[in-house]
């Protein structure tokens, strides 16, 4: 059995004679192709770039494009729509795989939604020197690392609350999430905080987990439940909603035991001054006993939404109702 080729993430793509960009997440595939082109241009600014639609392919075109030119410039051939590849393209691709052209990088994009071109895919995956770039949709728990990586590329720092706010507001579309990260990083100065994100994207964040937490801490049972239901109706997941509660109540617990002024406590706790100031305001209506009970309830809800119970939406609504009623008492 032929050895399989390396499978890597889109951000790890590097020049190779043959690259398969596979998976349904078109945004990540596009990022991978941009990165590959940039890397090849760094190697040689004379790079020739050719685009081919495998679904509209005519017999012999691949061989013609890949043939060495008079001046022997390196070339990048980007093949889109491999999932609808014509019989002619599949046949020509198989012939090319048997004898790749030196100095040519062939990239084939296939989203995997059908088995069209399976023989071609199998051949690519057994070709020495080839690589496969996996571009599948990111799972919810992969979005926070994605945002962190985007911020590193932009050389910006952000608080965990800011990252959670971005993920919560734009989790349904990875392209929108990446654009939101880039926009807030380019348009603001200093560390990106939760407050910055909530102010900057007020229209998107107003019915997210953070608004639910705010309503609960304010003891507004009706607003908390309405906001929660709006958030879930627009695609918010119970897991990050409970995570937002855990984050906020952990902050409250840390601040409750801190002495000194807001600035001094912030430095001791690794928080922003405004976070300490807001936490102390919220703690005025929260006894130590209520805080302990809330943290315990959040722990139970966290387990429930992660599989301990069959209905995660019911579990998070129960948490919201329970905490808001206690806060209002």
């Amino acid at each position: 059995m032929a050895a399989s080729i390396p499978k890597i993430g889109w951000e790890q793509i590097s020049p190779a004679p043959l690259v398969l960009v596979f998976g349904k997440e078109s945004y990540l595939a596009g990022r991978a192709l941009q990165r590959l082109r940039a890397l090849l241009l760094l190697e040689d600014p004379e790079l020739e770039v050719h685009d081919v639609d495998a679904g509209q392919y005519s017999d012999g075109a691949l061989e013609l494009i890949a043939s060495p030119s008079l001046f022997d410039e390196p070339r990048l051939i980007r093949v889109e729509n491999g999932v609808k590849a014509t019989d002619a393209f599949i046949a020509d691709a198989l012939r090319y795989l048997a004898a790749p052209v030196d100095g040519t990088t062939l990239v084939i994009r296939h989203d995997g939604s059908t088995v069209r071109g399976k023989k071609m895919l199998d051949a690519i995956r057994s070709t020495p020197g080839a690589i496969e770039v996996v571009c599948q949709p990111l799972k919810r728990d992969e979005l926070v690392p994605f945002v962190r990586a985007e911020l590193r590329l932009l050389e910006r720092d952000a608080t965990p609350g800011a990252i959670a706010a971005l993920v919560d507001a734009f989790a349904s579309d990875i392209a929108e999430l990446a654009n939101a990260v880039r926009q807030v990083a380019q348009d603001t100065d200093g560390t990106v905080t939760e407050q910055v994100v909530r102010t900057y994207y007020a229209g998107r964040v107003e019915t997210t987990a953070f608004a639910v937490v705010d309503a609960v801490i304010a003891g507004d049972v009706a607003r908390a439940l309405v906001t929660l239901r709006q958030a879930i109706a627009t695609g918010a997941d119970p897991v990050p909603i409970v995570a937002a509660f855990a984050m906020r109540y952990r902050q409250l617990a840390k601040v409750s035991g801190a002495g000194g002024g807001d600035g001094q406590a912030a430095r001791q706790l690794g928080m922003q001054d405004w976070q300490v100031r807001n936490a102390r305001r919220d703690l005025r209506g929260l006894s130590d006993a209520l805080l302990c009970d809330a943290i315990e309830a959040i722990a139970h809800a966290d387990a429930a939404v992660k599989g301990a119970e069959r209905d995660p939406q019911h579990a998070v609504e129960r948490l919201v109702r329970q905490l808001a009623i206690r806060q209002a008492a």
Side-chain angles (χ1 to χ4, degrees):
M1 181 177 178
S4 60
I5 62 176
K7 291 187 177 184
I8 59 175
W10 71 271
E11 74 283 2
Q12 299 171 303
I13 195 170
S14 58
L18 180 62
V19 180
L20 171 62
V21 179
F22 187 83
K24 295 181 180 179
E25 184 47 74
S26 58
Y27 176 77
L28 296 182
R31 290 283 295 273
L33 290 168
Q34 290 172 6
R35 176 175 168 80
L36 179 61
R37 181 176 181 273
L39 291 171
L40 290 171
L41 282 170
L42 283 176
E43 291 182 355
D44 194 327
E46 300 300 318
L47 176 74
E48 290 185 3
V49 181
H50 301 269
D51 291 308
V52 175
D53 185 343
Q56 303 291 327
Y57 181 83
S58 300
D59 184 42
L62 181 59
E63 182 180 3
L64 182 63
I65 295 171
S67 297
S69 66
L70 179 62
F71 299 103
D72 203 27
E73 296 94 346
R75 60 193 62 199
L76 168 63
I77 304 175
R78 301 181 297 199
V79 180
E80 288 289 339
N81 214 15
V83 73
K84 294 183 179 179
T86 63
D87 291 340
F89 177 79
I90 294 172
D92 282 1
L94 290 171
R95 278 195 294 270
Y96 181 88
L97 294 178
V101 177
D102 289 340
T104 294
T105 298
L106 176 63
V107 184
I108 297 179
R109 170 79 179 109
H110 194 296
D111 68 15
S113 59
T114 75
V115 295
R116 178 67 180 165
K118 184 178 183 303
K119 185 176 181 181
M120 174 184 68
L121 295 177
D122 290 344
I124 294 171
R125 287 170 172 149
S126 61
T127 299
I131 60 174
E132 179 174 349
V133 182
V134 180
C135 295
Q136 298 293 4
L138 298 182
K139 298 177 182 177
R140 186 81 190 205
D141 60 2
E142 296 173 312
L143 295 179
V144 167
F146 173 78
V147 171
R148 288 189 183 129
E150 293 292 285
L151 288 164
R152 281 196 297 271
L153 289 174
L154 296 166
E155 299 182 342
R156 292 297 305 277
D157 294 322
T159 64
I163 293 172
L166 286 163
V167 168
D168 202 37
F170 297 97
S172 61
D173 190 317
I174 189 70
E176 284 193 5
L177 177 59
N179 289 334
V181 173
R182 187 175 303 108
Q183 188 171 25
V184 76
Q186 291 175 347
D187 292 354
T188 62
D189 297 317
T191 299
V192 179
T193 65
E194 175 187 337
Q195 188 62 44
V196 167
V197 173
R198 294 177 68 187
T199 300
Y200 205 81
Y201 294 114
R204 289 296 295 264
V205 184
E206 61 188 1
T207 57
T208 63
F210 301 98
V212 179
V213 178
D214 286 343
V216 165
I217 289 178
D220 191 333
V221 182
R223 179 162 64 92
L225 291 171
V226 169
T227 306
L228 172 67
R229 289 163 186 166
Q230 288 175 341
I232 290 176
T234 55
D237 189 275
V239 173
I241 292 176
V242 174
F245 272 92
M247 185 188 326
R248 182 69 67 82
Y249 277 82
R250 278 197 301 268
Q251 284 186 349
L252 293 177
K254 287 167 63 176
V255 173
S256 68
D262 294 344
Q264 180 183 357
R267 288 189 293 274
Q268 291 173 347
L269 300 173
M271 298 168 63
Q272 301 293 319
D273 291 9
W274 64 267
Q275 289 178 310
V276 172
R277 186 165 54 252
N278 290 350
R280 283 177 166 168
R281 178 200 63 206
D282 295 336
L283 283 165
R284 291 176 194 143
L286 196 62
S287 67
D288 289 344
L290 281 177
L291 182 58
C292 290
D293 288 346
I295 291 173
E296 184 177 350
I298 292 167
H300 285 304
D302 184 65
V305 298
K306 290 179 179 177
E309 295 183 13
R310 287 187 293 180
D311 190 342
Q313 292 185 7
H314 174 72
V316 73
E317 181 165 327
R318 182 179 63 219
L319 172 70
V320 168
R321 188 185 301 275
Q322 178 181 351
L323 296 187
I325 289 174
R326 288 180 181 178
Q327 190 75 26

